[in-house]
Amino acid sequence: MKVLVTGSAGFIGAQVVAAFEEAGHQVRGLDLRTGADVRDPAALDRLLPGIDLVVHQAAKVGLGVDVADLPDYVSVNAYGTAVLLAAMARHGPRRLVLASSMVVYGEGAYDCAGHGRVRPGPRVPADLARGAFEPPCPVCGAPLRRAAVGEDAPPDPRNAYATSKLAQEHLSANWARETGGSVLALRYHNVYGPGMPRDTPYAGVAAIFRSELEAGRPPRVFEDGRQMRDFVHVRDVARANLLAALAPPRPGTLTPYNIASGSPRTVGEMAAALAAERGGPPPVVTGEHRLGDVRHIVAAPDRARAELGFHPEIGFAAGMKEFAWS
Ligand SMILES: NC(=O)c1ccc[n+]([C@@H]2O[C@H](COP(=O)([O-])OP(=O)(O)OC[C@H]3O[C@@H](n4cnc5c(N)ncnc54)[C@H](O)[C@@H]3O)[C@@H](O)[C@H]2O)c1
Ligand SMILES: [Zn+2]
């Protein structure tokens, strides 16, 4: 297969390129860092002819909580995807694997004893300030039980970045319907591993913890350290992209998949694992909090397992051991 990978010089994109090349596919890359902009139709007109499938990783990634950044997120992520899709319509590839994100869900899934599955709203400053980190039932205020979020959960993007990632999915679905194309949208959870950037809403905190340990300081864990995430290794994510590319196309549709390890951990556990591996001081739980953070976001990985045959191969202990020193 001839594959165009956008964002090919990025943390995940570079591993995606490696996975496709290792499997014997021909890869063309496109990345701002190597001089090509996904918003440039002329660049796409040069790169797309002869391509069978596009793997779209290029994006402006980040916290996206500053309203001043809205235009940039929309420009790279939404507009960039629109330019790419229009060029794909001109040149023919009818298959797209899209790097989407768990951020489209907002807060994770929760169950109330009285009200069943509920979606709590953003947490309020007064609760966070008194250390009440768990979001209450939005109907009755009772404590909730955390649940795994499935692909059919309604989207609830809570910042500019999340909104622009959801826009990528919607635009791709429009393209699929109009052209008969097939889109598999991979909603990555917290991707970590060698080369990860620090300033992301994902596992960037792992890189921050590691820098603290390198400096001989204890990792500082926010809230009570019991907030849950699903940490998935970057080489497993790259393999998920390859499996998505090999899956039978579904003309006219977009199908979303959670790409996660299926073994959620707390942020405190992650800090402790890195500290233990490096023989550094144990983490300090600070009680600090940030308004934009969600409490728990944990995925149901069943659909990717059943339909793509995706089984993560790098477990938490082995992955963190490697990451601690990489
Ligand atoms: N890291 C995670 O945990 C995570 C989780 C969910 C989703 N994602 C998604 O995965 C993808 C890759 O993210 P990453 O973590 O590797 O980030 P990254 O910043 O390392 O990679 C993104 C790449 O896109 C390139 N890029 C940015 N703007 C561009 C443009 N206009 N034209 C061409 N290239 C451009 C950047 O130069 C960079 O190399 C993104 O779509 C991101 O939204 C990442
Ligand atoms: Zn309730």
Side-chain angles (χ1 to χ4, degrees):
M1 215 168 5
K2 290 200 177 70
V3 181
L4 176 67
V5 177
T6 73
S8 52
F11 163 51
I12 299 170
Q15 301 285 344
V16 169
V17 170
F20 277 83
E21 283 180 341
E22 221 167 274
H25 301 289
Q26 279 182 45
V27 179
R28 278 179 209 160
L30 176 160
D31 199 295
L32 212 47
R33 292 184 200 171
T34 53
D37 194 320
V38 72
R39 294 164 294 184
D40 176 5
L44 293 166
D45 285 340
R46 276 195 308 278
L47 290 164
L48 276 172
I51 290 291
D52 303 305
L53 173 120
V54 174
V55 182
H56 184 30
Q57 306 286 327
K60 177 178 164 66
V61 186
L63 292 170
V65 287
D66 189 340
V67 173
D69 293 333
L70 271 167
D72 260 4
Y73 283 104
V74 172
S75 173
V76 176
N77 300 354
Y79 177 69
T81 299
V83 173
L84 172 66
L85 293 166
M88 288 174 70
R90 284 197 297 283
H91 292 284
R94 289 289 176 266
R95 302 196 55 186
L96 174 65
V97 176
L98 174 68
S100 185
S101 171
M102 65 168 197
V103 295
V104 302
Y105 299 119
E107 185 69 67
Y110 295 84
D111 292 325
C112 170
H115 297 98
R117 180 63 47 97
V118 290
R119 310 293 313 273
R123 295 180 291 171
V124 297
D127 286 347
L128 292 169
R130 64 185 173 84
F133 299 121
E134 295 289 337
C137 173
V139 185
C140 68
L144 297 173
R145 209 159 25 84
R146 180 177 61 72
V149 69
E151 288 85 351
D152 296 332
D156 182 13
R158 294 197 176 171
N159 55 50
Y161 169 65
T163 300
S164 68
K165 291 304 287 182
L166 185 61
Q168 292 186 315
E169 286 198 12
H170 288 323
L171 291 164
S172 303
N174 298 153
W175 167 85
R177 225 170 12 251
E178 293 295 328
T179 64
S182 167
V183 188
L184 273 62
L186 306 185
R187 292 176 178 164
Y188 309 157
H189 282 251
N190 297 270
V191 188
Y192 75 99
M196 69 185 289
R198 289 173 57 127
D199 53 346
T200 73
Y202 301 114
V205 65
I208 295 170
F209 290 163
R210 192 182 55 186
S211 312
E212 285 169 331
L213 288 161
E214 273 163 7
R217 292 191 299 265
R220 294 169 57 80
V221 181
F222 288 178
E223 302 192 10
D224 57 2
R226 291 201 283 268
Q227 55 277 40
M228 282 264 178
R229 296 292 183 273
D230 188 305
F231 299 102
V232 58
H233 195 277
V234 65
R235 288 196 299 275
D236 280 328
V237 172
R239 231 169 19 80
N241 276 271
L242 185 59
L243 290 167
L246 300 175
R250 302 199 176 158
T253 64
L254 176 144
T255 315
Y257 292 94
N258 283 328
I259 300 300
S261 73
S263 312
R265 303 292 160 132
T266 67
V267 172
E269 277 179 281
M270 186 200 34
L274 290 175
E277 178 56 33
R278 293 194 63 106
V284 174
V285 176
T286 68
E288 284 166 89
H289 54 267
R290 298 179 301 184
L291 255 192
D293 285 343
V294 297
R295 176 62 175 169
H296 306 293
I297 170 90
V298 163
D302 312 61
R303 184 186 285 175
R305 193 184 302 139
E307 296 182 13
L308 305 179
F310 174 61
H311 301 272
E313 287 173 356
I314 304 167
F316 180 79
M320 287 298 165
K321 196 177 165 81
E322 176 202 50
F323 179 71
W325 299 104
S326 62

